Amino acid sequence: MRPFLLFSAALGIVCPFALGSEIQKVLFDKSQPQRVASEGALDDETPSYRNELLALHKELVSIPSITFDENEVASFLVDHLTERGYNAALQFVPPPDDGPNIKERFNVAAWRGPKKANPRVIVSSHIDVVPPYIPYSIDKGKITKDTMIKGRGSVDAKGCVATMVTALNELHARDAIHDDDVMLLFVVGEEVTGDGMRTFSKSLAEMKDPPKIDAVIFGEPTELNLACGHKGGLFCDITAKGTPGHSGYPWLGKSANELMVRAMVKILDADLGVSDLFGNTTFNIGRIEGGIAGNVIPENATVNFAARVAVGPEATGQLFVKERVQAILDEVDKDAFEMDCSHGYGSVETNCDVDGFKKVTVNYGTDIPNLAGNHTRYLYGPGTILVAHGARENLTVGDLEEAVEGYQKLILHALKH
């Protein structure tokens, strides 16, 4: 790998806006953007960037990057971007206090122009994916807009990363933007805790003279619609404590499983908050366990849940849901339950007032609430969330190409407003 500047915790997680002369810059002729051949024959309506787009997407998806193991894909991106005339840097992300024994992890920041970045717009997505790793594949034969691409991260969110890079390359190639207008930011950890974006946000807050960021374009699968916002979230563990005993005499003990089941039914049937924009708050029992044997009254039961919060405000909407859940637990048995919540936030609104885009709201979470600041927020990307995280994650070549055009429109819109 080429030399590039590393940000370390020892330096106080210095922000990439304060880069020095150690950044590698590569001579680059913007009138002749580099192209990399992709697989298969090309049709007559091929955009000029298709080869490089598909090659980049393939490289990204082919590199496993399950959360907490994103180092290789971050390193690849730094090489790829510096070869194309960008300043690129890695920002160290501290390991979680109670997380697994993991390798060093880094966010990637890249921009053109001066070594000290001063962007008006940030274009951002995440480079981590959920398990398990699924290899890259593409339909055989002539490549058309309907050609399907599969693999883990092909949609969520390496499709966004590849199309964002390509979109910015195209804008620079035709001198549609100034070199220091836009910065790419690709973060780790979005699928678990959002620690990559929170690290970047913290680095901005610690700067004496931070740049004035007008807008941030976040990449997630929105089916090429511009999102007006997404639901918030509340992520908690509930434990129930009972009294063990022989199953033949259940009245002599207290079943933690029975208490948990009764509480879960009440919570699923309850009104946990409704809004006109986002609909109902939903409650997913992601994992449930309890007891040790069929003929023993269970002493302990545990539920891990994720609620998708339909109410705001963004900073406190999740507390309304937490209070509703806690009230139901107290109603079932005020002494048996404990609830421990790792994180949460209320519903998130984004700007969708841009001509030429269909509008949508989505139910999943993003890194948007992890980046503090007074900036306009956009949410857009190729592919559908309905196949993300699944065994058949896929999107089409046409999805990727339309996203390149969409990101260019959003960047230009953001720079004008």
Side-chain angles (χ1 to χ4, degrees):
M1 178 184 291
R2 292 172 182 77
F4 48 81
L5 191 63
L6 294 177
F7 302 100
S8 70
L11 296 176
I13 314 176
V14 179
C15 179
F17 298 110
L19 295 175
S21 59
E22 299 174 50
I23 297 299
Q24 174 92 6
K25 281 202 74 174
V26 177
L27 294 177
F28 184 79
D29 182 357
K30 292 191 293 183
S31 67
Q32 298 292 330
Q34 298 183 26
R35 305 295 181 195
V36 180
S38 61
E39 298 179 358
L42 302 176
D43 64 18
D44 294 336
E45 298 181 355
T46 301
S48 61
Y49 53 76
R50 177 181 285 179
N51 283 348
E52 186 160 0
L53 168 63
L54 295 188
L56 174 57
H57 185 248
K58 178 181 179 179
E59 289 281 359
L60 291 169
V61 177
S62 297
I63 300 173
S65 59
I66 294 169
T67 308
F68 301 124
D69 190 17
E70 306 100 334
N71 195 316
E72 185 178 352
V73 74
S75 297
F76 164 77
L77 274 170
V78 168
D79 272 352
H80 180 88
L81 292 166
T82 55
E83 287 172 357
R84 283 151 182 81
Y86 289 87
N87 301 300
L90 297 179
Q91 181 184 42
F92 175 69
V93 177
D97 294 335
D98 57 351
N101 184 17
I102 58 176
K103 304 174 184 177
E104 290 187 332
R105 303 159 65 222
F106 304 92
N107 296 329
V108 176
W111 65 99
R112 292 275 181 83
K115 292 183 175 65
K116 182 178 179 181
N118 189 33
R120 295 169 53 200
V121 174
I122 292 177
V123 181
S124 179
S125 192
H126 61 93
I127 54 177
D128 66 314
V129 300
V130 299
Y133 172 69
I134 301 173
Y136 175 96
S137 66
I138 187 170
D139 287 348
K140 295 181 179 179
K142 182 179 180 179
I143 293 178
T144 71
K145 292 184 180 298
D146 295 326
T147 298
M148 182 177 291
I149 301 171
K150 299 177 184 177
R152 177 60 77 227
S154 57
V155 173
D156 188 13
K158 292 176 180 179
C160 297
V161 175
T163 53
M164 286 173 163
V165 172
T166 305
L168 197 55
N169 287 346
E170 293 299 305
L171 290 174
H172 283 304
R174 64 175 190 265
D175 291 321
I177 59 176
H178 297 298
D179 278 348
D180 57 352
D181 277 343
V182 182
M183 187 176 79
L184 295 167
L185 173 66
F186 301 127
V187 300
V188 301
E190 188 273 346
E191 295 290 2
V192 178
T193 63
D195 55 347
M197 185 62 79
R198 286 188 283 105
T199 295
F200 180 77
S201 184
K202 181 181 178 182
S203 70
L204 291 182
E206 292 174 346
M207 291 184 65
K208 293 182 179 180
D209 186 24
K212 185 182 185 303
I213 299 169
D214 296 326
V216 182
I217 300 169
F218 294 86
E220 292 284 354
T222 66
E223 301 183 24
L224 300 167
N225 300 306
L226 189 57
C228 299
H230 64 78
K231 286 184 176 180
L234 178 66
F235 306 90
C236 308
D237 297 337
I238 299 175
T239 57
K241 181 74 171 180
T243 304
H246 195 288
S247 63
Y249 302 87
W251 56 88
L252 297 180
K254 179 189 283 189
S255 169
N257 283 355
E258 180 181 336
L259 291 171
M260 188 66 78
V261 169
R262 292 183 184 278
M264 291 300 104
V265 170
K266 286 181 175 289
I267 292 169
L268 290 170
D269 290 341
D271 177 2
L272 299 178
V274 181
S275 69
D276 292 337
L277 183 59
F278 298 105
N280 296 322
T281 296
T282 58
F283 187 89
N284 180 65
I285 303 170
R287 188 165 182 264
I288 184 169
E289 61 180 351
I292 57 173
N295 63 347
V296 177
I297 298 171
E299 182 178 12
N300 298 292
T302 304
V303 155
N304 312 123
F305 77 81
R308 300 297 174 173
V309 179
V311 294
E314 184 176 317
T316 59
Q318 78 281 6
L319 299 180
F320 173 83
V321 179
K322 183 179 179 182
E323 290 171 0
R324 287 286 182 95
V325 172
Q326 186 64 58
I328 293 171
L329 298 178
D330 292 343
E331 178 185 341
V332 173
D333 190 318
K334 64 179 181 179
D335 299 319
F337 293 98
E338 289 187 5
M339 181 165 55
D340 180 28
C341 298
S342 60
H343 61 290
Y345 51 92
S347 57
V348 175
E349 296 191 22
T350 53
N351 188 302
C352 58
D353 187 19
V354 182
D355 291 339
F357 291 90
K358 294 182 179 179
K359 301 177 182 181
V360 70
T361 58
V362 296
N363 295 346
Y364 53 79
T366 74
D367 262 330
I368 293 174
N370 294 324
L371 179 58
N374 184 23
H375 49 264
T376 303
R377 309 180 298 186
Y378 301 93
L379 178 60
Y380 171 84
T384 172
I385 197 66
L386 301 181
V387 299
H389 297 199
R392 289 180 51 81
E393 185 171 353
N394 68 86
L395 79 178
T396 67
V397 170
D399 290 334
L400 293 173
E401 292 172 352
E402 188 171 343
V404 172
E405 304 302 321
Y407 281 126
Q408 290 184 72
K409 291 177 184 177
L410 284 176
I411 291 168
L412 293 174
H413 174 87
L415 289 170
K416 293 177 181 177
H417 293 79

